[in-house]
Amino acid sequence: MTTTDENTVPATEPLAAEQSPRLEWAKHAPEVWKAMLRLDKAATQGLDPKLSELVKIRASQLNHCAFCLDMHTKDALAAGESVERIVQLAAWEESRHFYTEKELAAIELTEAVTVLTDGFVPDEVYVKAAAHFEEAELAQLISAIAVINTWNRFGVTCRLTPGHYRPGQYA
């Protein structure tokens, strides 16, 4: 059997070669990276850590950010989230019974903010979220969604390499 490190699944055949990042943007823009870390911490303040990770995973799925998926899946597991709920998140509309109504409202809002195909967040999505979150918590949730979308843009553009993150590494 072949493995690349303790984060990968044993394979019977060699794994594909790991892609190198296009740009190590944190190295070349360290002040932006530090500011993003502070913004991320501020945006998630007061949010349930499991909910925050579900939101980050869902946005990262939609944005195809492998680096962020690796990071936030590991952080969710470390926060006590179940593998089943993480796996089902990609098909949450068909597996609603794994989530609370509040979590569903947050996931739906995440999708609406992340995929602005209509150019706006639909009123019914916002109203549903507002029914489950107090205004201050809703403001934090919207902030967390905006911040993960920004992280995703850095990760996807620079093609950051997944697989090496350790839970809490950037905390």
Side-chain angles (χ1 to χ4, degrees), residues 27-169:
K27 176 181 171 184
H28 297 288
E31 293 306 313
V32 176
W33 184 73
K34 290 175 196 173
M36 283 297 299
L37 288 174
R38 288 189 305 273
L39 183 59
D40 192 291
K41 186 172 184 164
T44 57
Q45 189 174 8
L47 290 178
D48 175 81
K50 288 183 188 179
L51 176 69
S52 176
E53 294 304 331
L54 289 174
V55 163
K56 290 176 180 183
I57 292 167
R58 187 62 190 136
S60 299
Q61 288 171 336
L62 293 166
N63 290 321
H64 305 281
C65 186
F67 182 84
C68 292
L69 280 169
D70 178 55
M71 175 188 293
H72 296 296
T73 298
K74 289 173 181 173
D75 283 346
L77 290 168
E81 188 54 80
S82 74
V83 171
E84 190 169 44
R85 283 170 35 104
I86 293 169
V87 169
Q88 291 301 317
L89 192 54
W92 67 270
E93 291 175 296
E94 289 81 31
S95 52
R96 298 174 67 84
H97 59 285
F98 287 97
Y99 309 99
T100 67
E101 291 299 321
K102 183 175 183 175
E103 291 168 334
L104 290 168
I107 294 164
E108 191 171 1
L109 183 62
T110 299
E111 288 199 8
V113 172
T114 301
V115 184
L116 293 172
T117 55
D118 293 328
F120 60 92
V121 173
D123 287 341
E124 60 272 11
V125 172
Y126 183 87
V127 168
K128 190 182 299 181
H132 290 282
F133 293 88
E134 304 231 355
E135 285 187 343
E137 189 179 21
L138 182 58
Q140 291 299 126
L141 176 61
I142 293 166
S143 300
I145 295 167
V147 170
I148 189 57
N149 274 279
T150 303
W151 281 120
N152 290 164
R153 270 102 182 122
F154 286 123
V156 171
T157 303
C158 298
R159 197 179 286 142
L160 300 180
T161 308
H164 304 286
Y165 176 78
R166 303 279 184 262
Q169 181 175 335

